[in-house]
Amino acid sequence: MTTLAGEFGQHLARDRRRSAHTVRAYQATAERLLAFLTQHWGGPVGRPDLARVSAADLRAFLAHRRGQGLGNASAARELSAVRGFLAFATGEGATPRLKGPRVKKGVPRPISPDEAVALAEEVAENAAEPWIGARDWAVLLLLYGAGLRIGEAVGLSASVLPLGETIPVTGKRDKTRIVPLLPPVRAAIDAYATLCPWPLPRDAPLFRGAKGGPLAPTIVRRAVQHARHTLGLSDRTTPHALRHSFATHLLGRGADLRALQELLGHASLSSTQIYTAVDAAHLMDVYRNAHPRA
């Protein structure tokens, strides 16, 4: 069973070019499904057996997972992973029809430009060393000033140096997009590169940890968490919120939705369209707070 789940993980990484996080999560789901079916059916489960998985079996599996505390969003992701695994294992491309749980789409919560800058400044000022402060400032400006995901920012290689007006960014499924750099963002990266005590050959990571290894996203998240508490900002103020803010503020200034899709590296326009709801929500907040009859 473990071998079959492992083959599924290899398929996702090699053929589908899914992220390491997705591969781990989907492979774990496959292992859980196989273990459940072994108990549910009362015997070992092989690849041929998966062709007889029914909608009732999947409902029983989801009920089992619900009993373990799974919420709607997680259950929907679990079902998506199960469908992908069954299609891979049976080679038929068809899975039992089962309607997934309803998931209420959340609207991203952006922060204001002043809060974004204050957050980055607080993180930089609290750094243990000046070069680390310059590093954190550059990383957070990439999130807010260029709309990068945290994984994309820390995954940049030093080959982007010397900087021009744009940089290539490798996003989900190894898709590369070209992202323009504002002068303050370029200046922040250049300042970090000058102060960094570690050599930056072209094939090495651009952003380094305190001991010279690649910078881990968790380091940035912890620094942001500490800074937001100091500043009294919401718990929703995360590194990813800076990317949301980048998109929302651009859209509010009249950016084209298709152009924004390219900047963010979204495969589907529907992923970008959530920011139209964000912008509308922001306008309603302004209306309620400012209009005398609101």
Side-chain angles (χ1 to χ4, degrees):
M1 291 191 302
T2 303
T3 301
L4 185 55
E7 290 174 1
F8 178 52
Q10 292 172 5
H11 162 70
L12 291 174
R14 181 186 62 247
D15 303 326
R16 302 296 300 277
R17 294 186 176 183
R18 294 301 182 92
S19 70
H21 174 76
T22 298
V23 171
R24 284 194 302 270
Y26 276 40
Q27 184 173 331
T29 295
E31 291 169 353
R32 284 192 291 267
L33 176 67
L34 290 169
F36 171 80
L37 291 176
T38 298
Q39 289 189 336
H40 187 58
W41 287 343
V45 179
R47 186 187 290 264
D49 301 310
L50 295 176
R52 63 184 178 92
V53 172
S54 66
D57 294 324
L58 294 187
R59 277 193 293 270
F61 173 68
L62 287 181
H64 169 71
R65 294 288 288 136
R66 289 281 202 175
Q68 296 176 333
L70 217 62
N72 276 6
S74 296
R77 286 193 296 269
E78 192 90 339
L79 181 58
S80 175
V82 164
R83 285 171 174 155
F85 173 59
L86 290 177
F88 163 78
T90 62
E92 298 173 359
T95 57
R97 296 181 64 86
L98 180 64
K99 191 174 181 180
R102 289 187 177 183
V103 180
K104 183 180 179 181
K105 288 189 176 181
V107 175
R109 300 281 184 90
I111 60 178
S112 71
D114 288 343
E115 289 174 335
V117 173
L119 181 71
E121 287 177 341
E122 182 68 20
V123 170
E125 289 172 4
N126 285 332
E129 298 181 44
W131 78 269
I132 294 179
R135 177 201 70 191
D136 293 349
W137 172 256
V139 169
L140 294 179
L141 282 198
L142 276 169
L143 272 55
Y144 178 62
L148 270 62
R149 302 175 177 93
I150 180 65
E152 294 171 343
V154 301
L156 289 173
S157 74
S159 62
V160 300
L161 301 175
L163 294 172
E165 293 187 352
T166 62
I167 57 170
V169 175
T170 301
K172 291 185 175 181
R173 304 190 185 183
D174 289 335
K175 290 185 178 179
T176 300
R177 66 187 188 277
I178 302 300
V179 175
L181 291 180
L182 296 171
V185 180
R186 290 202 303 271
I189 297 173
D190 283 335
Y192 155 72
T194 300
L195 292 174
C196 182
W198 307 101
L200 296 173
R202 291 181 60 81
D203 59 347
L206 173 62
F207 293 111
R208 303 298 190 84
K211 296 183 179 179
L215 176 63
T218 52
I219 300 298
V220 181
R221 292 191 182 101
R222 286 192 201 120
V224 168
Q225 183 179 21
H226 182 270
R228 77 180 180 224
H229 288 317
T230 302
L231 297 173
L233 299 177
S234 164
D235 287 347
R236 290 179 175 268
T237 307
T238 63
H240 206 63
L242 294 175
R243 174 173 153 92
H244 288 323
S245 301
F246 163 83
T248 304
H249 298 161
L250 278 185
L251 191 61
R253 293 296 184 92
D256 175 76
L257 204 59
R258 284 287 184 186
L260 189 57
Q261 177 188 1
E262 291 293 326
L263 287 174
L264 294 172
H266 285 159
S268 168
L269 185 63
S270 62
S271 299
T272 314
Q273 286 174 330
I274 60 171
Y275 293 105
T276 60
V278 175
D279 195 50
H282 173 69
L283 291 175
M284 287 305 297
D285 285 342
V286 172
Y287 171 79
R288 292 191 186 100
N289 293 331
H291 197 284
R293 295 184 179 275

